[in-house]
Amino acid sequence: MPLALLALAVGAFGIGTTEFVMMGLLPDVADDLHISIPSAGHLVSAYALGVVIGAPLLAAVTARMSRRTVLMGLMGLFVAGNALSALAPDNGWLLAARFLSGLPHGAFFGVGAVVATNMVAPERKARSVSLMFLGLTVANVAGVPVATLMGQHLGWRATFLGVSAIGLAAIAALASLIPHDHEHATARGLRGELAALRSVPVWLSLGTTVAGFGALFAAYSYITPMLTDAAGYADASVTLLLALFGVGATAGNLLGGRLADHSLRGTLFGGLTSLVAVLAVFPLLMRTEFTAAVAVVLLGMAAFATGSPLQLMVMDKASSAPSLASSANQAAFNLANAGGAWIGGLALAAGFSVTSPALAGAALAVLGLGVASLAHAVDRRALPAGGHERIVASHVPQEAETVRH
């Protein structure tokens, strides 16, 4: 695997840290800015909105630029957004800064996935994407807890200055490790890029992402009350258990990348089936502290085993605009975050038990399996008689050949 993947992982680590650390800093931010915690919660939504808007937009308008230049520019925007967050004088400015911080998120992963797959042989594409995503999952193990502690002891503004420093390190790594490339050979302008998203298979792949990861967030958004009220953990233990989720996500991400290089479709179906099973038994596993800890690890493994397969599936279905499609998949991921949390909340609001969001997540995972099955049927119908389905077999661009030689 090329060392250049390390540069992408560093950027992913910074992005993952700034995305999830706000949850742990909400009380500190609310106290400092003299706002309520629910009002501070809008800062999480502002970041997610930035991801959803920025992912396809920035990928489309930068389609004719060098991918190396685009990645460095996106990290520059990331650094600016986090630095402005640290300097924000009030809640309004902080909302705007968090929105700005979210804008480059999806496009970075989208363009980064294309760069990662172009630097390796076709049989290693899924593993290259999983190594880039490794930065995101490791952020949940180390980055978020350390950044949260920094915010609690040095102030929340210090956290965002620290994240800005990670972004600067990522820019330096991108500049030194990512090879110079040419403009996108397949770029057709904004209208042509958007036209690539008119395909039904592309939308079915994006729908699988929304349903599959919506299943995760339906349960994970309410994991703290499950662990404290159902499993009996003390509040102080939750941070360690969330780190265990990151460990499971890291293991699942690496395993999914390796398996997907052998069978992308099989890994996707296997991951979604495992997610259904884990969420279905989640209420039972939440009855003791030990089984609850196991459940948290298994949830991370099952969910993130599908990350690389879903990313490559979308890129393959929109092969004429892989950067845009890959970025749109990141927007779908954040829609899953918001939608899954909302559906899990509906279960609680209806008066069901504290573990009911997990069962709502299981239903969403079943829906994801259904959408994935429909996508498979559409692909098979489109094949000529006696043909075989092709998944992620697109040619390796010239710049990939240059890297390998």
Side-chain angles (χ1 to χ4, degrees):
M1 287 293 173
L3 187 60
L5 292 177
L6 176 62
L8 297 174
V10 172
F13 179 81
I15 289 174
T17 300
T18 200
E19 179 181 18
F20 293 108
V21 75
M22 181 55 76
M23 287 76 159
L25 296 178
L26 285 183
D28 303 275
V29 173
D31 289 342
D32 186 51
L33 299 181
H34 307 293
I35 58 176
S36 66
I37 289 183
S39 295
H42 294 158
L43 297 168
V44 178
S45 302
Y47 183 92
L49 182 62
V51 177
V52 173
I53 293 176
L57 180 62
L58 291 178
V61 299
T62 60
R64 294 186 181 276
M65 297 174 60
S66 157
R67 293 186 179 111
R68 178 177 180 270
T69 301
V70 170
L71 288 171
M72 294 174 63
L74 291 171
M75 286 311 300
L77 187 59
F78 170 84
V79 170
N82 282 280
L84 289 174
S85 296
L87 301 174
D90 55 41
N91 186 48
W93 281 100
L94 185 55
L95 280 169
R98 287 295 290 170
F99 175 80
L100 180 65
S101 300
L103 285 176
H105 175 130
F108 181 87
F109 281 110
V111 176
V114 176
V115 171
T117 55
N118 284 348
M119 289 191 295
V120 298
E123 66 273 11
R124 290 177 176 263
K125 286 187 174 185
R127 265 177 283 184
S128 71
V129 173
S130 71
L131 288 177
M132 179 186 67
F133 283 154
L134 186 63
L136 181 65
T137 57
V138 170
N140 283 281
V141 180
V144 173
V146 171
T148 301
L149 288 174
M150 180 187 296
Q152 291 170 348
H153 289 86
L154 302 177
W156 63 270
R157 297 177 188 276
T159 294
F160 290 111
L161 288 177
V163 172
S164 297
I166 297 174
L168 291 174
I171 292 175
L174 291 167
S176 60
L177 296 178
I178 299 294
H180 291 274
D181 58 350
H182 303 290
E183 293 184 354
H184 291 198
T186 58
R188 298 175 297 168
L190 179 58
R191 182 175 298 179
E193 290 283 312
L194 294 175
L197 295 183
R198 295 175 183 172
S199 164
V200 171
V202 170
W203 284 101
L204 288 174
S205 297
L206 293 174
T208 305
T209 296
V210 173
F213 275 94
L216 165 65
F217 286 109
Y220 187 66
S221 300
Y222 305 95
I223 194 67
T224 296
M226 289 189 208
L227 292 170
T228 56
D229 297 348
Y233 276 103
D235 291 341
S237 303
V238 172
T239 300
L240 176 60
L241 290 163
L242 295 184
L244 285 179
F245 172 84
V247 171
T250 300
N253 171 55
L254 293 175
L255 179 63
R258 182 169 290 274
L259 293 177
D261 278 328
H262 298 285
S263 175
L264 191 148
R265 185 86 66 177
T267 303
L268 176 59
F269 279 112
L272 288 172
T273 301
S274 300
L275 188 58
V276 172
V278 170
L279 289 171
V281 300
F282 220 71
L284 297 176
L285 296 176
M286 283 291 143
R287 292 182 178 179
T288 70
E289 291 187 355
F290 175 75
T291 55
V294 172
V296 169
V297 175
L298 292 177
L299 179 63
M301 288 187 65
F304 278 86
T306 64
S308 298
L310 283 170
Q311 193 76 26
L312 289 175
M313 190 80 71
V314 172
M315 290 167 61
D316 182 72
K317 299 309 175 187
S319 56
S320 60
S323 295
L324 177 58
S326 184
S327 300
N329 194 51
Q330 293 301 311
F333 179 89
N334 277 268
L335 287 175
N337 189 338
W342 177 69
I343 290 175
L346 289 179
L348 291 175
F352 294 109
S353 71
V354 71
T355 58
S356 61
L359 297 180
L364 281 174
V366 171
L367 176 61
L369 270 173
V371 177
S373 299
L374 177 60
H376 183 41
V378 169
D379 287 341
R380 291 182 63 85
R381 177 170 292 186
L383 288 174
H388 296 283
E389 184 180 9
R390 177 188 63 85
I391 296 292
V392 192
S394 55
H395 71 281
V396 180
Q398 182 63 41
E399 61 263 33
E401 295 296 331
T402 301
V403 171
R404 288 206 297 273
H405 287 82

